[in-house]
Amino acid sequence: MTHPPANQLEIQFTRERIESRISELAAMLNQDYNGREIVVVGIMSGVVVFLSDLIRGLEVPVRLEFLNASSYRGKATSAGELAIDLSGLPTLTGKHVLLLDDIFDTGHTLSRMIEVISVMKPASLKSAVLLWKSERNETGLTPDYFGFQIPNRFVVGYGLDWDGLYRNLPDVRIIPE
Ligand code: 5GP
Ligand code: MG
């Protein structure tokens, strides 16, 4: 399949809807963390747009860390081997850690992250995702915070890519099957 022009892809969530939902998420987080310092750990690269919008709504002290995980390769729209790169991540012992990812699909990425970070004995460990393909969950895990539940379709934009493209689209759009 070639890469269709972005404006030919059906919109799933407009930038306005995403913006207002992210304000609600930020408000929930501000209330729940209640002034406590948090370490936001973003899973690269799909999270960058969501992360940069969400953290600017946070009113608690925030530290930022990133780690690399990729489960998709090239043009495939189904998951392959999960590769995690923890190098550069400081010890998170005693910290309130908020794991951030763009989308929760099978749940394998977040469940592996939770495993490796739990070992560091954080004070608390929660997860937030923009999108949640809730029909697909293979791990029994659910995200603590999510923006929207979506059906099992491959989406792009707002940080999410297909074959490296479309991350810059302001809306979330659907790749036709
Ligand atoms: P999981 O491990 O939960 O199956 O997959 C999570 C990762 O798969 C996400 O971080 C994201 O990189 C990728 N992913 C899952 N579904 C989609 C999708 O619909 N579109 C894109 N672009 N990436 C997806
Ligand atoms: Mg990802």
Side-chain angles (χ1 to χ4, degrees):
M1 194 185 184
T2 52
H3 304 112
N7 61 11
Q8 282 176 19
L9 301 173
E10 188 193 331
I11 294 186
Q12 174 92 15
F13 299 109
T14 61
R15 63 197 85 181
E16 293 81 11
R17 244 188 113 185
I18 298 168
E19 187 185 352
S20 85
R21 182 62 184 142
I22 288 181
S23 310
E24 292 175 1
L25 282 179
M28 277 188 256
L29 290 163
N30 288 329
Q31 192 169 31
D32 293 355
Y33 285 103
N34 190 24
R36 285 193 290 271
E37 180 180 300
I38 65 175
V39 183
V40 170
V41 177
I43 301 172
M44 295 297 275
S45 303
V47 80
V48 291
V49 181
F50 173 47
L51 181 141
S52 55
D53 281 347
L54 182 70
I55 61 172
R56 284 177 292 168
L58 295 180
E59 289 159 3
V60 296
V62 172
R63 293 178 196 272
L64 268 191
E65 300 293 343
F66 294 96
L67 47 80
N68 282 295
S70 51
S71 52
Y72 287 87
R73 290 281 173 269
K75 282 196 162 189
T77 54
S78 62
E81 187 79 359
L82 179 63
I84 301 178
D85 178 9
L86 291 170
S87 59
L89 197 65
T91 177
L92 297 167
T93 309
K95 305 285 190 188
H96 293 286
V97 176
L98 180 65
L99 264 170
L100 226 60
D101 204 357
D102 49 2
I103 183 165
F104 185 108
D105 181 10
T106 64
H108 289 297
T109 305
L110 268 187
S111 84
R112 281 290 308 284
M113 298 296 166
I114 289 172
E115 258 171 49
V116 295
I117 293 179
S118 297
V119 173
M120 301 180 187
K121 301 253 183 293
S124 68
L125 178 55
K126 288 189 174 184
S127 59
V129 295
L130 179 69
L131 304 172
W132 179 18
K133 288 186 190 169
S134 46
E135 329 169 339
R136 279 263 288 174
N137 191 348
E138 293 178 6
T139 60
L141 182 78
T142 56
D144 295 297
Y145 301 90
F146 65 93
F148 304 99
Q149 285 178 293
I150 61 164
N152 188 17
R153 304 286 302 277
F154 196 80
V155 290
V156 297
Y158 202 77
L160 292 130
D161 77 308
W162 179 45
D163 192 24
L165 293 171
Y166 304 113
R167 290 196 198 275
N168 57 310
L169 307 183
D171 312 294
V172 170
R173 293 177 184 257
I174 303 169
I175 297 287
E177 279 167 18

